[in-house]
Amino acid sequence: DAGLPGFAPFVRGARAEGNALGGWDVRQRHAAVDDGAVLADLENGVTSLWLVVGEGGLPVSSLGRVLDGVLLDLAPVVLDAGGECGEAARELLGLYAERGVAAGAARGNLGADPLGFEARTGQGYDGVGVGELARRCAGRYPGLRAVTVDALPYHEAGGSAAQELGCALATGVAYLRELSGAGLGVAEACGQLEFRFAATADQFLTIAKLRAARRLWARVAEVSGGWGAQVQHVVTSPVMMTRRDPWVNMLRTTVAALAAGVGGADAVSVLPFDHALGLPDAFARRIARNTSTILIEESHVSRVVDPAGGSWYVERLTDELAHAGWRFFQEIERQGGQAAALRSGWVRERLAETWSVRSAGLVTRREPVTGVSEFPYLGEKPVVRRAAPQPLSGGLPRVRRDDAFEVLRARSDAHLAATGARPRVFLAAFGPAAAHTARLTFAANFFQAGGIEPVVEGSFAGSGASEVCLCSSDELYAGQAESTAAALREAGAGHVFLAGRPGPYAGVDTYVFAGCDAVAVLCATLDRMGVS
């Protein structure tokens, strides 16, 4: 039974009113000192700040300057300080005292997450204990949480939605044990945790994942003798962000933010469209914060509590994800818990298996990436940004959907810079337009995904290409493919492709078709062309 909003098992939302009163918390991420950026965000719709502090982010000593002019009793601050969590927490609490913010008015999260740090870096946590921070917050700062359960490292390592849920659950249970051991009751300990999940452009999977996560945590709280709804901070997926044609990222993050809101997220961070390229500019930050604002204020997404509730598809998917996530959580517990599973390499291996399966869909273009493997545009003007601080590394890998094709495009860019021209392939279309248009379009997309410029007009001799791809219908291939290939070889073609199903055509070297390993074919093509 999904229950009712605000009641266990909280599938339909953590609060009875959901986000209907004012929308979700619009939380903007900052990882570098940029004068005026924080205040500009807060003045234009952002309701809380997510500050990456320490290695890979803002210096701890700069917190005072970054928060200069910020009304700390109104704007919650969430820290993401990695191994410098203790120092950053002391700095923030000191700012509250220095600026006269009452302990009861302080809101946000100090961001202690030793297992998340270990997942990112492969290193243990030094400094202040999680239990000590939690006791301090529970005893003096009722609006401040001490601990973050960050599931992003597992999502960014290629994990599935169920694996993300299982890792988050195992991490949350590990922290419950630690906080209970530090003297907090189960309800108090639950109140110190905030969970962070990824939202992707697969809107229904995201909606169901957030609903399932609340159900799973409600079960953990129940069997632990406590009670309480899971607090969720949802971030648009870094894995889906592309470096090529980054403008499409605006569409991806809009769908992801919509799914996060519909799924009942308490706070949503929309990553700027240029996130994968470096530090966002003012325009990118504006678009990111306005995405939530438009969804809340103009689309009225938050006015309905659990709008997906009651849909057979969503309820079934929620149930399936809950069971799959619980099974993965049980597997982690059998390994000795999240810490042991991370240190043994078991989590890394399981996530790698999942990413390997998904990668097969990406390299064959069965999972298309718009602007990268589908509808790429070689003439696009590069979007250049200032370099961002290097993120934490040394632990689980960080993957992106565009990784394999990005390598190919980078090779093409280097060739263009060195020679003034991109590698080329001549598309030899024959027969009436109705016979060749579909395959001509397919082949043009296919080769551009690897940074190879398709030449359609004119003759092969004047194309500047050394390789050629035949484009026509199966019927015309049967009668003309072999003779056309022979004629092109006589004209100097070194390699002949055919766009379509493999067949016994003499003179054809490679067949390109939906579902073939595009990356392997394109890589071999660049190798033959001498594109290093």
Side-chain angles (χ1 to χ4, degrees):
D1 182 8
L4 296 171
F7 295 88
F10 304 106
V11 173
R12 307 203 62 196
R15 301 181 303 278
E17 71 279 11
N19 290 318
L21 297 182
W24 53 83
D25 175 8
V26 180
R27 185 171 295 173
Q28 193 87 317
R29 180 181 185 271
H30 288 268
V33 177
D34 193 346
D35 291 341
V38 167
L39 287 178
D41 281 343
L42 291 170
E43 290 167 357
N44 291 281
V46 166
T47 53
S48 70
L49 300 171
W50 174 20
L51 304 180
V52 182
V53 182
E55 184 183 354
L58 301 156
V60 173
S61 59
S62 71
L63 266 180
R65 182 158 71 89
V66 171
L67 296 174
D68 187 31
V70 175
L71 301 178
L72 295 177
D73 54 341
L74 298 179
V77 176
V78 173
L79 298 179
D80 185 354
E84 297 179 53
C85 171
E87 185 182 346
R90 285 191 293 273
E91 185 77 13
L92 180 61
L93 294 177
L95 284 175
Y96 286 138
E98 179 184 317
R99 299 184 185 179
V101 177
R107 290 178 296 147
N109 193 318
L110 300 180
D113 185 18
L115 290 176
F117 179 74
E118 188 164 345
R120 290 287 194 203
T121 65
Q123 301 173 10
Y125 216 43
D126 294 324
V128 68
V130 174
E132 180 185 334
L133 275 181
R135 281 200 313 271
R136 190 171 182 184
C137 288
R140 189 175 176 197
Y141 300 95
L144 204 58
R145 295 173 187 266
V147 184
T148 297
V149 178
D150 192 355
L152 288 184
Y154 314 107
H155 169 76
E156 290 186 72
S160 66
Q163 289 172 328
E164 187 182 347
L165 288 174
C167 287
L169 212 59
T171 301
V173 167
Y175 292 159
L176 271 192
R177 293 181 177 127
E178 185 166 349
L179 299 189
S180 297
L184 275 70
V186 175
E188 272 188 314
C190 287
Q192 288 300 306
L193 306 184
E194 179 178 76
F195 287 72
R196 184 176 294 143
F197 296 105
T200 72
D202 187 335
Q203 60 181 333
F204 288 109
L205 189 64
T206 296
I207 292 167
K209 179 173 71 177
L210 299 181
R211 299 171 92 248
R214 289 192 296 270
R215 172 179 168 183
L216 292 173
W217 188 245
R219 178 61 175 156
V220 167
E222 178 189 7
V223 298
S224 301
W227 184 91
Q230 183 182 76
V231 176
Q232 296 177 336
H233 171 204
V234 180
V235 184
T236 57
S237 166
V239 176
M240 71 179 180
M241 304 293 271
T242 63
R243 288 155 279 195
R244 306 288 171 165
D245 202 359
W247 313 100
V248 184
N249 290 331
M250 295 186 198
L251 305 180
R252 298 183 179 104
T253 54
T254 297
V255 175
L258 167 68
V262 171
D266 298 283
V268 178
S269 293
V270 175
L271 295 181
F273 74 89
D274 53 2
H275 175 79
L277 300 172
L279 291 175
D281 65 4
F283 172 74
R285 288 196 304 270
R286 177 188 175 194
I287 294 296
R289 65 180 181 251
N290 282 357
T291 299
S292 280
T293 300
I294 291 170
L295 288 170
I296 294 168
E297 301 293 344
E298 296 187 22
S299 298
H300 307 303
V301 170
S302 65
R303 290 197 178 182
V304 178
V305 180
D306 188 31
S311 158
W312 181 89
Y313 175 63
V314 172
E315 298 293 1
R316 177 64 178 268
L317 186 56
T318 298
D319 186 65
E320 290 176 350
L321 266 180
H323 281 89
W326 188 264
R327 284 193 298 272
F328 195 69
F329 162 61
Q330 288 179 312
E331 290 182 43
I332 294 172
E333 289 294 286
R334 281 194 288 270
Q335 297 296 316
Q338 184 70 5
L342 278 172
R343 291 163 193 165
S344 69
W346 184 88
V347 169
R348 176 188 288 268
E349 290 170 7
R350 294 298 302 273
L351 301 183
E353 290 169 4
T354 300
W355 183 246
S356 177
V357 172
R358 188 175 180 190
S359 293
L362 290 164
V363 301
T364 58
R365 300 165 76 229
R366 293 292 192 188
E367 181 181 335
V369 183
T370 304
V372 177
S373 64
E374 201 68 46
F375 309 114
Y377 175 47
L378 294 185
E380 70 173 290
K381 185 179 179 181
V383 177
V384 180
R385 294 289 184 263
R386 289 184 296 143
Q390 284 298 311
L392 297 175
S393 60
L396 297 176
R398 294 175 187 256
V399 300
R400 292 187 190 276
R401 293 199 307 159
D402 66 353
D403 277 340
F405 290 96
E406 179 63 28
V407 172
L408 302 175
R409 293 286 294 273
R411 290 174 65 178
S412 174
D413 288 349
H415 186 75
L416 174 63
T419 66
R422 290 194 183 276
R424 293 179 176 177
V425 61
F426 181 71
L427 303 187
F430 54 93
H436 68 241
T437 298
R439 280 176 171 159
L440 189 68
T441 302
F442 168 83
N445 270 293
F446 183 92
F447 288 106
Q448 287 184 96
I452 301 171
E453 181 182 350
V455 180
V456 179
E457 304 295 333
S459 65
F460 171 71
S463 67
S466 60
E467 310 205 354
V468 64
C469 181
L470 308 182
C471 301
S472 193
S473 65
D474 291 341
E475 292 75 15
L476 290 177
Y477 284 154
Q480 300 180 37
E482 294 186 2
S483 59
T484 303
L488 287 164
R489 284 193 183 280
E490 265 193 52
H495 194 92
V496 178
F497 296 90
L498 183 144
R501 291 188 293 271
Y505 302 122
V508 174
D509 301 296
T510 304
Y511 297 88
V512 293
F513 52 92
C516 73
D517 190 332
V519 170
V521 171
L522 292 167
C523 185
T525 304
L526 292 174
D527 288 344
R528 284 194 305 272
M529 293 177 174
V531 179
S532 59

